[in-house]
Amino acid sequence: MLILIVVVCALAGYLVGSIPFGYLIVRAVKGVDLRSVGSGRTGGTNAYRAAGLPAGIATAILDTIKGVVCVLIIRALGLGDATQGWAEAMAGIGVVLGHNASIFLNFAGGAGGATAVGTSLVYLPAAGLAALVVGVFFLVIVGYPFMASILAALTAAIGLTLAAVAGAVPASYAAFGWGIVAIICYALRPNIVRFAKGQEKRVGLFAGKGVVDKV
């Protein structure tokens, strides 16, 4: 029964995560398919590239919110101590996977950074806020969206792991943290390769310095 509940929660998370806010916003604002613009991803960076800053910010916020809402819904079910932690953790992994490979867009999507931050904010607000600060810093100041996503996820994973070791949160939350690090790194492997070659394009304050990123 535990396995069945956890699987259902993961699938529910996947469906929530699959809602392609960036795609919908850019389609409404510009009438174009976001997958045909820039990197082809549906996250905030590409929405910004395709339809401007308001579209990019709205996409990032909504992608974060769907991570929050997904976990809160599972939490509200009150599944009991033996099940709740893993149900929430797998729903969180599901929502990030859904964002990255949306069933509504033939499995296209983003990289999962904002959605991962949203889930982390529910699991452990301190870890989620730290991840948000790190992500914003590397996006706006350093100028590398792929780095912002990876380091935000890594910050959340470390925070959740330390909290789990201290007994403040279930160990399943730490498993979620490292799971999303792996998922996001896998999604961004082309960016990592380009960065190693000195070919990754910056955005924000550094736009125009440095090939199109894929966040």
Side-chain angles (χ1 to χ4, degrees):
M1 182 61 72
L2 169 61
I3 294 175
L4 177 60
I5 291 173
V6 169
V7 169
V8 169
C9 289
L11 290 174
Y14 175 79
L15 290 175
V16 172
S18 287
I19 301 172
F21 287 118
Y23 171 87
L24 295 172
I25 290 169
V26 173
R27 174 69 78 177
V29 173
K30 291 292 185 178
V32 299
D33 187 335
L34 185 54
R35 294 170 294 178
S36 68
V37 178
S39 69
R41 290 191 178 273
T42 60
T45 299
N46 206 37
Y48 158 67
R49 182 183 295 114
L53 184 60
I57 292 175
T59 298
I61 291 173
L62 288 171
D63 285 343
T64 302
I65 288 174
K66 69 183 176 184
V68 171
V69 169
C70 177
V71 180
L72 287 178
I73 289 173
I74 301 302
R75 182 167 293 180
L77 297 177
L79 298 173
D81 292 341
T83 306
Q84 191 71 46
W86 282 108
E88 290 181 17
M90 292 307 297
I93 288 177
V95 75
V96 176
L97 282 172
H99 175 77
N100 287 12
S102 172
I103 194 172
F104 305 120
L105 295 178
N106 293 321
F107 304 104
T115 306
V117 168
T119 55
S120 299
L121 283 168
V122 181
Y123 296 139
L124 184 66
L129 287 172
L132 178 61
V133 169
V134 169
V136 170
F137 175 80
F138 277 89
L139 176 63
V140 177
I141 305 302
V142 179
Y144 285 114
F146 90 96
M147 194 178 292
S149 294
I150 292 173
L151 293 179
L154 186 60
T155 299
I158 292 172
L160 290 167
T161 299
L162 292 175
V165 170
V169 300
S172 56
Y173 289 5
F176 157 82
W178 295 107
I180 60 168
V181 169
I183 291 168
I184 290 174
C185 285
Y186 179 81
L188 294 173
R189 62 198 187 282
N191 303 74
I192 296 170
V193 171
R194 285 199 300 272
F195 180 75
K197 294 179 178 179
Q199 298 174 341
E200 182 72 355
K201 183 179 178 180
R202 290 180 171 183
V203 300
L205 298 176
F206 301 95
K209 296 183 180 180
V211 180
V212 173
D213 60 87
K214 289 194 175 184
V215 177

